[in-house]
Amino acid sequence: MGKGRKKSISRRNERGESVKVLLSGARIQRKIRELASVIRRDFPGEPLHFVGVLKGAVFFLSDLARQIPGEVSFDFIAVSSYGKETQSSGEVKLTRDLDASIEGKTVIVVEDILDTGLTLQYLLRVFEQRKPKRLRVAVLLDKEERRIAPVRADYVGFKIPNAFVVGFGLDYGERYRNLPYVGTLSLGSGKKEERAQE
Ligand code: IMP
Ligand code: MG
């Protein structure tokens, strides 16, 4: 450890929080290129319509979309979970709908992370009713261990262990989304790590 450890863990900020690199920006970009070529190979010559879940999916969607040749369009949706402050109750509310219809389109839902699966379960039900030609799911991260709803993604960047992560779109209290890598967050002294899981 020693030197390497220093490099991969940010110093505690003024809030007493620190972030340890889990997936470097270069590793993420390599994986996104791989996923993009698999997705294009699965649907050769077909127009693809990406639906990003705000706000966490913005960087993943924008990097993925730019790696895919051929016709690509995209749209965004936003949801909020009730009871986020205490443990998630599993109820999801649509706070911003899509601009355009997805009927007859090859839709790929793009999410930052698949955790309990409750958000995607809700969204997939909503989208299925709108009669897309095909409906697929791409997630950058998958925390399989935490799954409650039986949802699986067709395209997964990385399976990760059950720790709270930030960066590359993922936030803690709206902060850290802009980190160009994914890291595990540790909170300042006095606060419990589990609070980040709420
Ligand atoms: P799910 O409904 O439990 O699958 O949760 C999905 C949403 O919870 C994601 O879109 C994230 O916004 C958030 N989330 C889950 N795990 C983490 C994490 O480790 N860091 C940051 N946000 C997370
Ligand atoms: Mg989120």
Side-chain angles (χ1 to χ4, degrees):
M1 284 245 163
K3 276 181 190 163
R5 192 164 178 267
K6 254 189 190 147
K7 242 183 114 189
S8 64
I9 306 178
S10 71
R11 298 168 73 118
R12 291 199 178 272
N13 62 17
E14 60 289 349
R15 296 172 194 261
E17 300 160 359
S18 65
V19 180
K20 182 176 186 226
V21 178
L22 180 67
L23 304 163
S24 69
R27 225 179 132 190
I28 295 171
Q29 294 303 333
R30 219 178 305 132
K31 182 62 76 175
I32 290 176
R33 285 196 294 274
E34 266 172 50
L35 289 177
S37 72
V38 173
I39 291 171
R40 184 36 94 202
R41 224 181 299 140
D42 285 353
F43 306 104
E46 208 169 310
L48 299 174
H49 189 64
F50 288 100
V51 167
V53 185
L54 290 172
K55 298 170 227 163
V58 285
F59 299 123
F60 180 39
L61 184 147
S62 61
D63 287 344
L64 187 65
R66 284 180 294 177
Q67 293 295 331
I68 297 190
E71 199 177 316
V72 171
S73 54
F74 54 82
D75 203 346
F76 292 97
I77 198 160
V79 290
S80 70
S81 328
Y82 290 110
K84 259 268 141 87
E85 302 307 316
T86 58
Q87 282 282 322
S88 175
S89 64
E91 279 180 79
V92 180
K93 189 175 78 158
L94 229 173
T95 57
R96 181 210 186 270
D97 205 346
L98 299 172
D99 288 334
S101 164
I102 55 167
E103 192 173 340
K105 293 180 183 170
T106 297
V107 172
I108 301 181
V109 182
V110 181
E111 245 291 44
D112 51 2
I113 187 166
L114 183 48
D115 188 34
T116 63
L118 294 165
T119 307
L120 271 172
Q121 182 181 52
Y122 168 83
L123 284 175
L124 291 173
R125 280 191 191 137
V126 169
F127 294 150
E128 265 155 20
Q129 287 164 8
R130 299 182 183 184
K131 311 227 168 1
K133 180 177 171 196
R134 310 172 205 276
L135 189 55
R136 299 287 187 274
V137 174
V139 296
L140 179 64
L141 308 173
D142 184 1
K143 264 197 235 173
E144 261 180 333
E145 225 184 287
R146 295 251 309 159
R147 201 79 84 253
I148 294 172
V151 175
R152 50 168 290 283
D154 302 282
Y155 307 100
V156 176
F158 302 93
K159 292 190 173 166
I160 60 164
N162 182 13
F164 194 82
V165 291
V166 292
F168 214 84
L170 290 133
D171 72 306
Y172 175 59
E174 293 301 323
R175 293 177 289 112
Y176 299 108
R177 291 194 197 276
N178 59 319
L179 295 178
Y181 54 87
V182 169
T184 50
L185 177 70
S186 69
L187 299 178
S189 54
K191 293 191 205 166
K192 286 226 162 70
E193 294 251 339
E194 306 87 69
R195 280 202 50 192
Q197 288 283 7
E198 287 168 0

